């Protein structure tokens, strides 16, 4: 079975540009999570969905960040406009109503 | 609230040394406990888990025992290998919120030949 798929794997952009990160969860999973990982802050939960509905977005740092899940097999995390401090590795994870989460390989974002 | 506190790293060991990474937790309910491992350039993956007190999770030579009396879930391995070099995360999840987990800050382990 395919695991969680994220794209792109690497993204380099300039400050002020819009960035869209994509995630395809494991088929049949009903929870989807977006995390950000940096050296300074470690692993932070940004937002999570259950059955395509956002449940908790309290970790979204500010209004520049938005996330959507239009269907059970696709989610996006958008940053507009991007800033250098957004540089991080962004992970998507999914699970089927179970505590164990399955992580994607991550997207390494660099904002110049 | 819920929280996980891990032993601060980085940890550097020689091959075949004994490993312990401490993890303690605070939870409002009765959690399941996990250790995840992150190899360089990859996402986190489940290493082992335990769902109730006194359970022992084990995988790839790693072990951790759920100690309710000390609210701990320390990770151990008797003889580490260079390939064990990674970041290790302790985590908890409450059964009342089966999807969401609380993660520790991670401990970086480097094993030298």
């Amino acid at each position: 079975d395919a695991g969680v798929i994220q794209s792109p794997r690497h993204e380099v952009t300039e400050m002020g540009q819009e960035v869209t990160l994509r995630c395809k969860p494991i088929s049949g999973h009903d929870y989807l999570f977006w995390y950000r990982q940096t050296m300074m802050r470690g692993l932070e939960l940004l937002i999570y969905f259950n059955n395509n509905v956002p449940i908790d977005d309290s970790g979204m740092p500010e209004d520049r960040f938005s996330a959507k899940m239009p269907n059970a097999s696709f989610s996006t995390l958008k940053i507009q406009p991007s800033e250098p401090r957004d540089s991080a590795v962004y992970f998507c994870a999914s699970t089927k109503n179970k505590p164990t989460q399955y992580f994607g390989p991550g997207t390494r974002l660099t904002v110049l | 609230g819920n929280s996980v506190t891990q032993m601060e790293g980085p940890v550097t060991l020689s091959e075949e040394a004994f490993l312990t990474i401490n993890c303690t937790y605070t939870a409002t309910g009765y959690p399941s406990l996990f250790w995840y491992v992150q190899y360089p350039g990859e996402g986190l993956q489940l290493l082992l888990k335990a769902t109730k007190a006194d359970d022992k999770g084990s995988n790839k030579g790693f072990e951790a025992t759920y100690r309710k009396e000390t609210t701990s879930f320390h990770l151990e391995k008797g003889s580490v290998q260079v390939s064990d070099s990674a970041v290790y995360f302790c985590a908890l999840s409450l059964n009342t919120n089966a999807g969401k987990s609380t993660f520790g800050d991670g401990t970086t382990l480097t094993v030298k030949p």
Side-chain angles (χ1 to χ4, degrees), chain A residues 24-44:
Chain A
K24 177 179 171 55
I26 293 172
S27 177
H29 282 190
D30 54 358
Y31 282 86
L32 184 140
F33 306 82
W34 282 102
Y35 293 90
R36 177 172 69 177
Q37 186 179 40
T38 61
M39 290 293 291
M40 291 296 295
R41 296 188 176 185
L43 190 68
E44 303 173 274

Side-chain angles (χ1 to χ4, degrees), chain A residues 5 37 62 80 111:
Chain A
I5 298 172
Q37 186 179 40
E62 48 197 277
Q80 167 63 19
V111 183

Side-chain angles (χ1 to χ4, degrees), chain A residues 9 31 33 35 37 41-43 45 48 56 58 91 95 97-106, chain B residues 32 34 36 38 41-46 49 87 89 93-95 97-101 103-105:
Chain A
R9 293 294 312 275
Y31 282 86
F33 306 82
Y35 293 90
Q37 186 179 40
R41 296 188 176 185
L43 190 68
L45 176 64
Y48 77 99
D56 183 353
S58 60
F91 289 103
T95 188
N97 197 30
K98 297 290 184 184
T100 302
Q101 295 186 15
Y102 297 84
F103 283 74
Chain B
S32 295
F34 306 82
Y36 287 82
Q38 182 181 26
E42 300 182 9
L44 282 69
Q45 56 185 273
L46 179 68
K49 66 180 182 182
V87 182
F89 291 87
S93 179
L94 291 175
N95 294 328
N97 192 357
K100 185 177 177 181
S101 293
F103 288 85
D105 290 337

